[in-house]
Amino acid sequence: MADSIAFTSDRTLWHRIGRIGIYTLLAVFAFYYIMPLIVIVSTSMKDLDEIRTGHLLSLPAQINLDAWTFAWSEACIGVTCTGLKPYFWNSLAMAVPAVLISIMLGAITGYALTKFRFRGANVIFAMILFGCFIPFQVILLPMATSLGYLGVANTIPGLVLVHVVYGLPFTTLFFRNYYVNIPDDLVKAATIDGAGFFTIFWKIMLPLSLPIIVVTIIWQFTQIWNDFLFGASFTSGGNQPVTVALNNLVNTTTGVKRYNVDMAAALMTAAPTLLVYIFAGRYFVRGLTAGAVKG
Amino acid sequence: MASLNIRNVKKAFGPMEVLKGIDLDLDDGEFLVLLGPSGCGKSTLLNMIAGLDSITSGEITIDERVLNNVHPKDRDIAMVFQSYALYPNMTVGRNIGFGLEMRKVAKAERDQKVQDAARMLQIDHLLDRKPAQLSGGQRQRVAMGRALVRDPKIFLFDEPLSNLDAKLRVEMRTEIKKLHQRLGTTMVYVTHDQIEAMTLASRIAIMKDGIVQQFAPPQEVYEKPANMYVAGFVGAPAMNFIPATLVAENGKLGVSMQRTAKGNRSDVFLALNDERKELADWVGRELVLGIRPESVTHKSEAELNGTRNLQHFDCQVDVLEPTGADTLTYIELGGREVIARVNPHNTSNPGETMDFMVDMDKASLFDPKTEQRI
Ligand SMILES: Nc1ncnc2c1ncn2[C@@H]1O[C@H](COP(=O)(O)OP(=O)(O)OP(=O)(O)O)[C@@H](O)[C@H]1O
Ligand SMILES: [Mg+2]
């Protein structure tokens, strides 16, 4: 008896020490990750004097949003001083259609690959999968040629096309892996009921796809919004996406370096992806684990 | 209402031949059960009737119309799946009516038919629920409703009851039988449960390795199994197989085998029916006597004097397993364990020798090499 009591109290002690260790470690990591964000947010709200005299980690004396309005509508990007605003809309006009189109096509392809298994479906899937591993740099030249040939070089629709093509392997992979877990019997039953390829897709598969749609939206939106290379390579001037404009804004030095404007611009550029995560993040985790939990 | 003919149908997945020439002819209103172990090709055959799998060679017809290249939706069949395959995003009502919706039946008529089908299956109070909010038994009924509402020529069932618990399975089995009696529609039903097969079928096709072993009414399958596989598959406890020698004694043909009684090993002779003269060739040769447990009972003098060919012998009892109605009595005949069904009040204790009686009218004989019925 005495032994077992000693044993249990020993165990709770170790348990507690373990807990403390875990939380300390977690706190350290959390601090490590949140630190840069704190620095950026606080710097964007300071004025230049405060930045020059104060400490990097000190908080702003008062909340001052001048740098934000300047970055949004006045800052110079190269020789034009319009702020990030027009480029932000460029990015939106590129990302929204590219995300929607690549998801739609990926869903249909994933559905065809799993539920209408045709001869060679596996080979085609393997080739599509291979597309996920092609580095961006490899396709720059052929893509530039193609865009020129199609007459969409240096346009937003051109960028949409690039991102749709480049995103398809990923969206197809996501939807294929999701649809593999949806029983084939559903499709068989619907076929006997008289529904065709697209009717089954619209009325049965798509309504069941919400979790994976959210996952794919987050993935694709983040990829496309954050893309720099394609934007920098295939567009110039007023057609650039916001990521490229941000880079130019930071590199356009006329006189003194305005750190607060740079920080505000960086936050603005990152805001949409952050918002998507905040609003859809829980679906993201749920979607990623959906297959495992459903059983 | 339809006849179904399956003529020399084969199916191969790549190099693997799954169905090796199936011939089945079904009259209007019949209830065919495809019975066989897992992987024997039952679902494949059903899917081919439904049009969900292509036919490698051969021909399937409904009412003499060749279906090989007809789309599933145009075959006028309805199917109930083992997994039920209910559309999770639709209400029960829409699930049942989906086939009609696809066929552009007007909403009012559709609702009426859904109502009727639901009422017949006692699920009319569930029409607004989603499948996830139903119990297993209720889902099963919805799946049946979806088939019922279309009023097809043929119903196809692929192990519809195997996901239900034992009690519900028996209830639904009876209900399917009632449904068949009421509608009189031709039905094809896949199962690996021999009791379902016996209770439901007008004819059973027992399949193994892509071949139909026997295609006959349940009672015939039970009493005159075509081979040892069928005999062993149907009936529980399984048929006893006893290695024996065919001998002629006092002008009568019979089978002879060894057993232990009162501490001595000696032969018993069980005379066969007089009609079985064609067995003369087999005299002196080994064969297998197949006899069901209920045909081996305790000896009753009264019955022995009847008109049936009842033979008796004594044998040492090894083990008793009371089941309530009968006591399964294990004895040893011809070196094999044999189960007899004995009235609980007539049993002897293990180790003692007891008098048994065999109904040789019910005996089957098999060729030990080919395992076919003789
Ligand atoms: N699409 C396919 N490709 C290759 N082989 C298949 C395919 N479908 C079925 N088979 C094979 O065909 C055989 C018969 O399968 P089938 O599903 O008809 O069996 P079953 O009798 O219905 O078994 P169960 O009782 O387990 O449902 C199995 O050996 C299976 O592995
Ligand atoms: Mg099956």
Side-chain angles (χ1 to χ4, degrees), chain B residues 13 16 18 36-45 53 82 158-159 190 192:
Chain B
F13 290 109
M16 187 179 61
V18 173
S38 194
C40 71
K42 308 178 296 286
S43 299
T44 306
L45 182 58
D53 259 339
Q82 179 176 6
D158 193 351
E159 307 198 29
V190 164
H192 54 238

Side-chain angles (χ1 to χ4, degrees), chain A residues 18-32:
Chain A
R19 285 275 122 177
I20 292 171
I22 288 173
Y23 282 113
T24 316
L25 202 66
L26 287 178
V28 169
F29 276 124
F31 181 75
Y32 178 77

Side-chain angles (χ1 to χ4, degrees), chain A residues 163-185:
Chain A
H163 284 297
V164 167
V165 170
Y166 208 84
L168 258 179
F170 295 93
T171 55
T172 303
L173 175 69
F174 288 167
F175 279 96
R176 192 210 88 107
N177 288 353
Y178 186 78
Y179 288 151
V180 157
N181 289 320
I182 290 185
D184 291 349
D185 280 357

Side-chain angles (χ1 to χ4, degrees), chain A residues 185-186 188-195 199 203-204 207-208, chain B residues 47 73 79 81 83 85-87 89 99 101-103 146 150:
Chain A
D185 280 357
L186 277 187
K188 290 185 184 172
T191 306
I192 291 177
D193 269 345
T199 313
K203 299 208 167 184
I204 294 164
L208 297 177
Chain B
N47 282 339
K73 71 174 194 291
M79 186 158 169
F81 294 84
S83 62
L86 303 180
Y87 313 126
N89 54 314
E101 189 183 325
M102 289 297 111
R103 286 173 172 74
R146 197 165 62 178
R150 296 241 326 272

